[in-house]
Amino acid sequence: MQPVADSLAALAKLAETPPVSLVAAAFAAAGHELALVGGPVRDAFLGRPVHDLDLTTDATPDQILAIVAPLADAHWDIGRAFGTIGARIGGETVEITTYRSDVYDQVTRKPVVEFGTTLEGDLLRRDFTVNAMALRLPSKVLVDPSGGMDDLLDGRLRTPSTPEISFGDDPLRMLRAVRFTAQLDFELDDETRSALAGMASSITHISAERIGEELSKLLRSDRPRRGVELLVESGLADFVLPEVPALRLETDEHHHHKDVYEHSLTVLEQAIDLERERADEGAEPDLVLRLAALLHDIGKPATRRLEPGGVVSFHHHDLVGSKLVKKRLRELRYDNDTIAAVARLIELHLRFFGYTDSAWTDSAVRRYVRDAGPLLARLHILVRADVTTRNRRKADRLSFAYDDLESRIAELAQQEQLDSVRPDLDGEQIKRILGLKPSREVGEAYRFLLELRLDEGPLGEEEATRRLHSWWTARRLAD
């Protein structure tokens, strides 16, 4: 956290920048209150980039729209029922919301929206004290009815009301607490931590979509490990992502193996570090990669076998894990592309380890690339991150082996345009050469030529045609 004087200066500077100053002047001229609220105030104090401009006012949605419409390049009222009007002003997006004093029905946990009359009342209904501060505009007076400033300075996360009331109103706030510990590097106060554990089961009242969105925000944070640990320690993970606490496998005096839970957290951290090293500047956090890193070993509990001699095996945990992650991410309402990509990475994450056992042929390298497809760059990161051994010689051997594999992939790609491997003949040529109409046989011929391409590299059209005729003749004789 930056010094308080610098924080106040940063907040004042934010208030003076367009479109904030422009909107503040317009509301003042119309005789309405206006304040920057929540995240922008918090992040300015912390010296973090401010991306969202959230404001609150005593004006009704209709009055808000009348004030901002002349200033805006575009505006929308999709949140009008909740008192929110959005606008694009001077290239920035702002959202302005009427003071609220929501009442929760305690059944669906959805708020019955009621508009409030005071800024202080609006702030006290918010989730955490560090999000319950506002800067009145244009006077630049800080309003902090629940001690959010002290909590910011102490790195403490607590609720404006009792956590039982706050979490009872909206259990999703428990997941937000988990996320903020990772995102802001804050500690929960004892009362909030206790309520989190005691009320964990109430998260089941929240829709799967909202839970999935919050988990995604957690994993996109700079250092999500701390949040994942709290998710597990509090018991929330038992209800939202049970595969993660299940990784805490017990060992006995005869059978020992790596701590799969700690290993998975380390893989997540290492994958994020590698992601940053390899990503373009300004790239968004890679949710697919981070999900795959955290969940890559979730097939181990179901496949663990205690073998003679103290050996523990997890045969086919890659395939089992791929199936399990599909089921979990579907239940959390992730999109199909994300589900397919995460499952495929988990399915493939062990493939490389055969490379260290015996020299791969060029054909095997081509298949590795073909099977990874557009996920190859992510697979490179996941496989490297999966090495968490403290045995330096073993870690170096695996690292050097993957260096070699990546080098061979690059060389083959340069020689053969490996990233778009196709047979030497396309479907139209196959149909013409064999005199076929569109049919299953065309697909079989295509796959035959693709296997040749992977095994032997480019053949050229003439040789591919000769091989195709030979294959077709042998196939017809076999029939």
Side-chain angles (χ1 to χ4, degrees):
M1 170 127 178
Q2 61 187 347
V4 174
D6 292 343
S7 297
L8 291 170
L11 188 57
K13 182 177 180 181
L14 178 62
E16 293 166 0
T17 58
V20 177
S21 58
L22 183 65
V23 173
F27 273 78
H32 287 291
E33 298 178 5
L34 186 72
L36 267 171
V37 67
V41 178
R42 178 199 70 215
D43 289 341
F45 269 110
L46 292 173
R48 293 165 53 90
V50 175
H51 299 293
D52 302 315
L53 293 174
D54 296 326
L55 300 111
T56 188
T57 179
D58 62 345
T60 66
D62 287 342
Q63 290 170 331
I64 295 171
L65 192 57
I67 295 170
V68 301
L71 310 175
D73 305 316
H75 57 79
W76 51 92
D77 62 357
I78 192 170
R80 180 191 287 263
F82 297 96
T84 300
I85 300 297
R88 189 80 176 167
I89 301 173
E92 297 282 350
T93 298
V94 299
E95 288 193 347
I96 307 171
T97 303
T98 305
Y99 296 155
R100 283 167 52 175
S101 57
D102 300 340
V103 176
Y104 290 80
D105 65 13
Q106 301 300 315
V107 178
T108 65
R109 264 60 180 189
K110 292 181 179 179
V112 177
V113 177
E114 293 186 5
F115 296 141
T117 57
T118 67
L119 175 58
E120 289 79 4
D122 178 273
L123 294 176
L124 288 172
R125 74 175 179 82
R126 293 176 179 261
D127 54 3
F128 302 104
T129 61
V130 297
N131 295 331
M133 297 185 294
L135 187 71
R136 287 191 185 275
L137 301 172
S139 60
K140 301 177 188 174
V141 174
L142 183 68
V143 181
D144 179 17
S146 55
M149 172 64 75
D150 290 338
D151 290 334
L152 271 180
L153 294 173
D154 292 339
R156 181 173 55 234
L157 201 65
R158 64 182 181 89
T159 56
S161 58
T162 68
E164 288 79 11
I165 291 175
S166 183
F167 295 161
D169 283 344
D170 185 2
L172 187 70
R173 289 173 174 173
M174 294 188 291
L175 286 182
R176 287 172 61 81
V178 167
R179 169 163 63 92
F180 284 134
T181 61
Q183 188 173 306
L184 304 177
D185 194 25
F186 279 15
E187 291 284 350
L188 296 182
D189 76 317
D190 291 341
E191 188 180 1
T192 304
R193 183 179 291 274
S194 177
L196 204 66
M199 302 178 68
S201 63
S202 65
I203 197 65
T204 57
H205 297 298
I206 299 300
S207 70
E209 289 89 349
R210 294 179 74 198
I211 291 172
E213 287 172 6
E214 201 59 47
L215 289 173
S216 295
K217 290 178 182 178
L218 167 61
L219 287 176
R220 287 190 177 105
S221 64
D222 287 345
R223 294 293 174 190
R225 175 174 182 149
R226 187 175 182 185
V228 175
E229 289 174 333
L230 179 57
L231 197 69
V232 172
E233 291 165 7
S234 66
L236 277 167
D238 294 334
F239 300 98
V240 302
L241 204 60
E243 293 79 6
V244 174
L247 295 172
R248 298 178 296 180
L249 301 177
E250 294 182 1
T251 60
D252 59 33
E253 59 180 323
H254 303 295
H255 297 83
H256 298 278
H257 56 76
K258 184 181 296 183
D259 185 323
V260 183
Y261 171 65
E262 287 295 326
H263 164 75
S264 297
L265 294 178
T266 301
V267 172
L268 174 61
E269 288 183 305
Q270 294 184 166
I272 291 172
D273 289 341
L274 288 168
E275 173 194 337
R276 291 195 181 109
E277 288 177 13
R278 297 184 173 210
D280 295 331
E281 186 175 353
E284 292 294 318
D286 190 337
L287 179 62
V288 166
L289 174 64
R290 297 179 183 202
L291 282 166
L294 177 62
L295 304 175
H296 75 286
D297 274 348
I298 61 171
K300 281 190 170 180
T303 58
R304 185 173 71 154
R305 298 292 180 269
L306 306 181
E307 309 288 358
V311 175
V312 181
S313 67
F314 301 96
H315 296 307
H316 305 302
H317 76 267
D318 47 343
L319 302 179
V320 173
S322 180
K323 292 179 181 179
L324 288 175
V325 85
K326 286 180 183 177
K327 182 175 184 295
R328 176 56 53 198
L329 295 186
R330 285 194 191 106
E331 290 180 358
L332 291 171
R333 304 294 191 269
Y334 279 86
D335 64 272
N336 290 336
D337 289 344
T338 296
I339 295 171
V342 174
R344 186 62 167 159
L345 284 171
I346 292 175
E347 180 183 346
L348 294 174
H349 83 274
L350 290 183
R351 186 79 62 87
F352 157 74
F353 292 96
Y355 189 84
T356 61
D357 298 331
S358 59
W360 279 8
T361 63
D362 285 352
S363 172
V365 175
R366 292 187 189 101
R367 281 185 168 80
Y368 186 79
V369 174
R370 180 194 65 178
D371 291 346
L375 299 173
L376 183 61
R378 287 170 168 147
L379 185 60
H380 287 334
I381 292 175
L382 179 59
V383 172
R384 287 184 181 275
D386 198 20
V387 178
T388 62
T389 178
R390 295 180 181 179
N391 184 323
R392 177 46 53 193
R393 291 182 62 185
K394 181 179 180 181
D396 287 343
R397 177 172 61 84
L398 290 169
S399 179
F400 294 150
Y402 209 86
D403 287 343
D404 182 65
L405 176 58
E406 283 202 70
S407 177
R408 289 183 64 191
I409 289 172
E411 290 172 2
L412 284 171
Q414 188 173 10
Q415 296 168 14
E416 307 175 9
Q417 295 183 333
L418 187 60
D419 56 345
S420 57
V421 171
R422 290 179 174 81
D424 295 270
L425 302 174
D426 62 24
E428 292 300 320
Q429 290 171 303
I430 291 170
K431 287 188 290 184
R432 186 181 70 251
I433 291 167
L434 299 182
L436 296 174
K437 294 181 178 179
S439 61
R440 176 173 55 84
E441 287 83 359
V442 176
E444 292 176 359
Y446 187 92
R447 287 189 290 275
F448 163 73
L449 291 173
L450 179 58
E451 290 299 316
L452 283 180
R453 174 73 171 79
L454 290 167
D455 286 337
E456 302 180 29
L459 299 174
E461 185 173 339
E462 183 178 345
E463 178 62 13
T465 300
R466 187 186 71 78
R467 298 283 194 96
L468 179 62
H469 277 303
S470 298
W471 171 82
W472 184 244
T473 299
R475 185 182 182 283
R476 296 183 67 182
L477 289 174
D479 291 342

mmCIF file of all heavy atoms in Angstrom, residues 425-437 461 465 469:
data_model
loop_
_atom_site.group_PDB
_atom_site.id
_atom_site.type_symbol
_atom_site.label_atom_id
_atom_site.label_comp_id
_atom_site.label_asym_id
_atom_site.label_seq_id
_atom_site.Cartn_x
_atom_site.Cartn_y
_atom_site.Cartn_z
ATOM 1 N N LEU A 425 -2.633 -35.053 -50.374
ATOM 2 C CA LEU A 425 -3.797 -34.954 -51.267
ATOM 3 C C LEU A 425 -5.007 -34.545 -50.437
ATOM 4 O O LEU A 425 -5.200 -35.039 -49.319
ATOM 5 C CB LEU A 425 -4.070 -36.300 -51.938
ATOM 6 C CG LEU A 425 -2.929 -36.915 -52.762
ATOM 7 C CD1 LEU A 425 -3.305 -38.315 -53.225
ATOM 8 C CD2 LEU A 425 -2.581 -36.029 -53.953
ATOM 9 N N ASP A 426 -5.826 -33.644 -50.969
ATOM 10 C CA ASP A 426 -7.031 -33.257 -50.234
ATOM 11 C C ASP A 426 -8.207 -34.124 -50.659
ATOM 12 O O ASP A 426 -8.077 -35.024 -51.501
ATOM 13 C CB ASP A 426 -7.339 -31.776 -50.434
ATOM 14 C CG ASP A 426 -7.612 -31.414 -51.893
ATOM 15 O OD1 ASP A 426 -8.022 -32.305 -52.690
ATOM 16 O OD2 ASP A 426 -7.421 -30.222 -52.247
ATOM 17 N N GLY A 427 -9.358 -33.858 -50.085
ATOM 18 C CA GLY A 427 -10.531 -34.677 -50.342
ATOM 19 C C GLY A 427 -10.962 -34.692 -51.799
ATOM 20 O O GLY A 427 -11.350 -35.741 -52.335
ATOM 21 N N GLU A 428 -10.889 -33.530 -52.450
ATOM 22 C CA GLU A 428 -11.291 -33.464 -53.857
ATOM 23 C C GLU A 428 -10.365 -34.301 -54.730
ATOM 24 O O GLU A 428 -10.813 -34.993 -55.661
ATOM 25 C CB GLU A 428 -11.295 -32.009 -54.328
ATOM 26 C CG GLU A 428 -12.374 -31.151 -53.694
ATOM 27 C CD GLU A 428 -13.771 -31.681 -53.990
ATOM 28 O OE1 GLU A 428 -14.012 -32.134 -55.140
ATOM 29 O OE2 GLU A 428 -14.613 -31.654 -53.079
ATOM 30 N N GLN A 429 -9.069 -34.243 -54.443
ATOM 31 C CA GLN A 429 -8.114 -35.054 -55.219
ATOM 32 C C GLN A 429 -8.345 -36.540 -54.985
ATOM 33 O O GLN A 429 -8.269 -37.354 -55.920
ATOM 34 C CB GLN A 429 -6.686 -34.674 -54.827
ATOM 35 C CG GLN A 429 -6.252 -33.296 -55.296
ATOM 36 C CD GLN A 429 -4.917 -32.882 -54.713
ATOM 37 O OE1 GLN A 429 -4.761 -32.842 -53.483
ATOM 38 N NE2 GLN A 429 -3.950 -32.588 -55.579
ATOM 39 N N ILE A 430 -8.625 -36.907 -53.738
ATOM 40 C CA ILE A 430 -8.890 -38.325 -53.428
ATOM 41 C C ILE A 430 -10.098 -38.818 -54.209
ATOM 42 O O ILE A 430 -10.077 -39.910 -54.808
ATOM 43 C CB ILE A 430 -9.109 -38.501 -51.906
ATOM 44 C CG1 ILE A 430 -7.800 -38.277 -51.151
ATOM 45 C CG2 ILE A 430 -9.666 -39.893 -51.591
ATOM 46 C CD1 ILE A 430 -7.967 -38.194 -49.650
ATOM 47 N N LYS A 431 -11.157 -38.038 -54.236
ATOM 48 C CA LYS A 431 -12.369 -38.446 -54.967
ATOM 49 C C LYS A 431 -12.079 -38.600 -56.460
ATOM 50 O O LYS A 431 -12.536 -39.553 -57.108
ATOM 51 C CB LYS A 431 -13.487 -37.417 -54.745
ATOM 52 C CG LYS A 431 -14.101 -37.478 -53.359
ATOM 53 C CD LYS A 431 -15.322 -36.593 -53.213
ATOM 54 C CE LYS A 431 -14.966 -35.120 -53.234
ATOM 55 N NZ LYS A 431 -16.156 -34.263 -53.006
ATOM 56 N N ARG A 432 -11.305 -37.660 -56.998
ATOM 57 C CA ARG A 432 -11.009 -37.729 -58.436
ATOM 58 C C ARG A 432 -10.126 -38.932 -58.762
ATOM 59 O O ARG A 432 -10.378 -39.659 -59.717
ATOM 60 C CB ARG A 432 -10.305 -36.437 -58.875
ATOM 61 C CG ARG A 432 -10.099 -36.366 -60.391
ATOM 62 C CD ARG A 432 -9.377 -35.107 -60.816
ATOM 63 N NE ARG A 432 -7.966 -35.115 -60.405
ATOM 64 C CZ ARG A 432 -7.473 -34.346 -59.451
ATOM 65 N NH1 ARG A 432 -8.264 -33.516 -58.783
ATOM 66 N NH2 ARG A 432 -6.190 -34.420 -59.147
ATOM 67 N N ILE A 433 -9.093 -39.173 -57.960
ATOM 68 C CA ILE A 433 -8.153 -40.262 -58.241
ATOM 69 C C ILE A 433 -8.832 -41.621 -58.118
ATOM 70 O O ILE A 433 -8.605 -42.523 -58.949
ATOM 71 C CB ILE A 433 -6.949 -40.176 -57.280
ATOM 72 C CG1 ILE A 433 -6.106 -38.942 -57.623
ATOM 73 C CG2 ILE A 433 -6.093 -41.432 -57.327
ATOM 74 C CD1 ILE A 433 -5.083 -38.589 -56.562
ATOM 75 N N LEU A 434 -9.689 -41.783 -57.118
ATOM 76 C CA LEU A 434 -10.335 -43.084 -56.884
ATOM 77 C C LEU A 434 -11.719 -43.178 -57.512
ATOM 78 O O LEU A 434 -12.358 -44.239 -57.444
ATOM 79 C CB LEU A 434 -10.439 -43.353 -55.386
ATOM 80 C CG LEU A 434 -9.110 -43.418 -54.609
ATOM 81 C CD1 LEU A 434 -9.381 -43.727 -53.154
ATOM 82 C CD2 LEU A 434 -8.178 -44.476 -55.225
ATOM 83 N N GLY A 435 -12.184 -42.106 -58.126
ATOM 84 C CA GLY A 435 -13.499 -42.128 -58.752
ATOM 85 C C GLY A 435 -14.621 -42.298 -57.750
ATOM 86 O O GLY A 435 -15.596 -43.008 -58.008
ATOM 87 N N LEU A 436 -14.501 -41.635 -56.602
ATOM 88 C CA LEU A 436 -15.488 -41.779 -55.539
ATOM 89 C C LEU A 436 -16.375 -40.545 -55.427
ATOM 90 O O LEU A 436 -15.962 -39.437 -55.776
ATOM 91 C CB LEU A 436 -14.779 -41.984 -54.192
ATOM 92 C CG LEU A 436 -13.941 -43.247 -54.024
ATOM 93 C CD1 LEU A 436 -13.212 -43.205 -52.694
ATOM 94 C CD2 LEU A 436 -14.818 -44.500 -54.098
ATOM 95 N N LYS A 437 -17.575 -40.771 -54.946
ATOM 96 C CA LYS A 437 -18.442 -39.672 -54.550
ATOM 97 C C LYS A 437 -18.235 -39.426 -53.053
ATOM 98 O O LYS A 437 -17.607 -40.228 -52.378
ATOM 99 C CB LYS A 437 -19.901 -40.043 -54.833
ATOM 100 C CG LYS A 437 -20.206 -40.189 -56.321
ATOM 101 C CD LYS A 437 -21.674 -40.541 -56.524
ATOM 102 C CE LYS A 437 -21.991 -40.651 -58.032
ATOM 103 N NZ LYS A 437 -23.414 -41.014 -58.262
ATOM 104 N N GLU A 461 2.897 -35.135 -54.338
ATOM 105 C CA GLU A 461 1.628 -35.582 -54.921
ATOM 106 C C GLU A 461 1.770 -36.905 -55.657
ATOM 107 O O GLU A 461 0.919 -37.793 -55.554
ATOM 108 C CB GLU A 461 1.097 -34.496 -55.863
ATOM 109 C CG GLU A 461 -0.269 -34.814 -56.429
ATOM 110 C CD GLU A 461 -0.850 -33.662 -57.233
ATOM 111 O OE1 GLU A 461 -0.396 -32.509 -57.025
ATOM 112 O OE2 GLU A 461 -1.741 -33.920 -58.062
ATOM 113 N N THR A 465 -0.114 -40.306 -54.517
ATOM 114 C CA THR A 465 -1.090 -40.938 -55.409
ATOM 115 C C THR A 465 -0.789 -42.424 -55.558
ATOM 116 O O THR A 465 -1.694 -43.275 -55.531
ATOM 117 C CB THR A 465 -1.063 -40.248 -56.784
ATOM 118 O OG1 THR A 465 -1.400 -38.860 -56.630
ATOM 119 C CG2 THR A 465 -2.044 -40.903 -57.732
ATOM 120 N N HIS A 469 -3.310 -45.481 -54.413
ATOM 121 C CA HIS A 469 -3.774 -46.576 -55.280
ATOM 122 C C HIS A 469 -3.480 -47.934 -54.642
ATOM 123 O O HIS A 469 -4.335 -48.842 -54.661
ATOM 124 C CB HIS A 469 -3.097 -46.480 -56.651
ATOM 125 C CG HIS A 469 -3.758 -45.516 -57.591
ATOM 126 N ND1 HIS A 469 -5.080 -45.598 -57.950
ATOM 127 C CD2 HIS A 469 -3.255 -44.431 -58.282
ATOM 128 C CE1 HIS A 469 -5.381 -44.619 -58.788
ATOM 129 N NE2 HIS A 469 -4.285 -43.893 -59.009
#
